[in-house]
Amino acid sequence: MTNKVALIGAGAMGGAIGTRLAETGNRLVVFDLDAEKVQALVDKGAIAAPSAAEAAAQSDCVILSLNSPGIVRRAVFGETGVAEGARPGTLIIDMSSIDPEATRQLAADAAARGLRWVDSPLSGGAPKALIGQLTLMAGGTEQDVADARAVLQHVASNFTHMGPVGAGQTTKLINQVLCGLNFLAVAEATQLALDAGVDAAKIPQALKGGRADSAVLQEYMPRFVAKDYRRTGRIDNMVKDLNGAQDLARRTNTAMPLTATCAEVHRMLTAAGLGGEDQAALMEYFRGPKRENFE
C-alpha cells in the first residue's frame, strides 16, 4: 500500500526523513517556507504544496519536523495551516522535539477538530534517517501509534510506544540528557588524551566493546581529534532540549547537577557564536587560550 504523506518542515532533519519516504515508495507532498528545501525533495519525487493546508488536503497523514512548540502551533492551527486542509481523522505525527506539556495541549486542540495526534521524536539524526535506522519514541493511543508505525516503518529500525500523548517527548528529553552528557564527556576525554600525548584517534578501537564504549565515542572522538565540524546537528538545538529537560526536572523536583553543567557549557558556546555548529565543536570549549582560530 502506498502511504499518502504530507511533510511540513524540510530542514536538515525533515529533508532526510522526506528523502527516505520518497525513496521507499510513499506519495510525499511537502511544504516549507524555504523553496530551495522543497525543491530538493521535489527532485527526489515529492510534490510541492503551496501551503500546509494544501499538503494536508492531499494526504492521509501529516508529518511535522519543526523547531519549537510555537512553530508547530502555527503550522497546524495558523492561517493556511494543516487543520484548514486536513480531513477528519487525519493522523498528525509530530517528529519535532518539543515540550511534553505543549504537546498535550496541541493534541487536545487537534482532537477538538477531529484530528489524531502522535508525538514521535527521534534519535539518530539525519544520517540514520537516510538509511532507515532512526530510533523513534512515540506517545499516543494504541491505534494511532500503530498507524504511525506503519507510516514510519521505512525510516525507523527501533520504534517504541512509550505511553499516552507526551510520553514520546518526555522520553526524547531523557535521550537528550544522555546524549548531551555523553558528547561532553567524550570531548573532555579527548582533550585529556591529546594533552597527555596519547593517540586519541586509537581510543575508540581500544575501548570498543568495553563499558566505556558508546555510539558517541565511536563517531565523535575521531571527529573531535580531526576537528571535523561538518554539521549533522546543532549546539543550540541541544540547548533547547536541555532547557526542556531542566524545566521538566523543576516540575518533578528532580536533582540534575550534571545536566545543569552540560547545559551551561552549551549555552556558553552558543553565546560565543557557535550555536549553529555541530556537537563536534564542543572541543572549542576545552581548547581555551590554546585553541586555533575557529574556521
Side-chain angles (χ1 to χ4, degrees), residues 10 27 44 78 81-82 106 119 132 136 148 152 157 163 173 195 213 228 239 242 257 266 282 295:
R27 182 182 182 276
K44 294 167 183 169
V82 168
L106 287 161
D119 52 302
L136 302 181
L152 299 173
S157 59
L173 291 178
D195 290 345
D213 197 11
D228 175 2
V239 171
L242 293 177
H266 281 74
L282 279 172
E295 297 179 353

Side-chain angles (χ1 to χ4, degrees), residues 1-253:
M1 183 179 72
T2 300
N3 292 312
K4 298 178 181 179
V5 182
L7 174 67
I8 313 302
M13 196 64 241
I17 292 168
T19 296
R20 179 67 179 176
L21 288 171
E23 290 177 348
T24 51
N26 297 278
R27 182 182 182 276
L28 184 68
V29 185
V30 59
F31 172 73
D32 191 286
L33 295 175
D34 188 326
E36 289 187 9
K37 292 175 181 176
V38 172
Q39 187 60 48
L41 288 175
V42 169
D43 292 343
K44 294 167 183 169
I47 301 166
S51 68
E54 181 60 30
Q58 300 182 47
S59 307
D60 299 321
C61 170
V62 178
I63 292 176
L64 309 175
S65 182
L66 303 166
N67 201 42
S68 73
I71 296 173
V72 171
R73 178 164 290 280
R74 288 194 297 276
V76 177
F77 301 112
E79 185 177 354
T80 69
V82 168
E84 286 192 6
R87 297 184 296 276
T90 295
L91 176 64
I92 298 174
I93 306 173
D94 186 15
M95 301 184 75
S96 317
S97 294
I98 62 173
D99 179 75
E101 290 293 331
T103 289
R104 284 187 277 270
Q105 187 58 60
L106 287 161
D109 293 344
R113 299 189 181 215
L115 305 175
R116 301 183 290 154
W117 195 283
V118 167
D119 52 302
S120 184
L122 57 91
S123 184
K128 291 293 186 180
L130 290 170
I131 58 174
Q133 293 184 5
L134 285 176
T135 291
L136 302 181
M137 47 224 81
T141 68
E142 290 283 352
Q143 185 60 60
D144 291 348
V145 169
D147 290 346
R149 186 194 299 267
V151 173
L152 299 173
Q153 60 180 319
H154 294 299
V155 300
S157 59
N158 183 13
F159 185 106
T160 305
H161 185 191
M162 296 302 301
V165 166
Q169 297 293 357
T170 300
T171 306
K172 177 57 185 287
L173 291 178
I174 293 166
N175 177 85
Q176 293 304 88
V177 167
L178 293 169
C179 285
L181 291 172
N182 205 352
F183 280 125
L184 192 57
V186 173
E188 184 171 290
T190 300
Q191 190 61 52
L192 177 60
L194 294 171
D195 290 345
V198 172
D199 185 351
K202 291 183 177 180
I203 289 177
Q205 179 59 40
L207 302 186
K208 190 172 184 179
R211 285 188 171 179
D213 197 11
S214 70
V216 172
L217 173 68
Q218 293 298 326
E219 179 181 356
Y220 269 83
M221 188 171 277
R223 293 185 60 187
F224 286 145
V225 173
K227 293 203 301 181
D228 175 2
Y229 293 168
R230 57 195 161 86
R231 293 175 179 87
T232 60
R234 293 174 61 104
I235 286 173
D236 54 11
N237 277 343
M238 181 62 75
V239 171
K240 171 180 69 74
D241 293 337
L242 293 177
N243 284 345
Q246 290 182 297
D247 289 343
L248 179 61
R250 280 187 282 271
R251 292 197 293 269
T252 58
N253 199 32

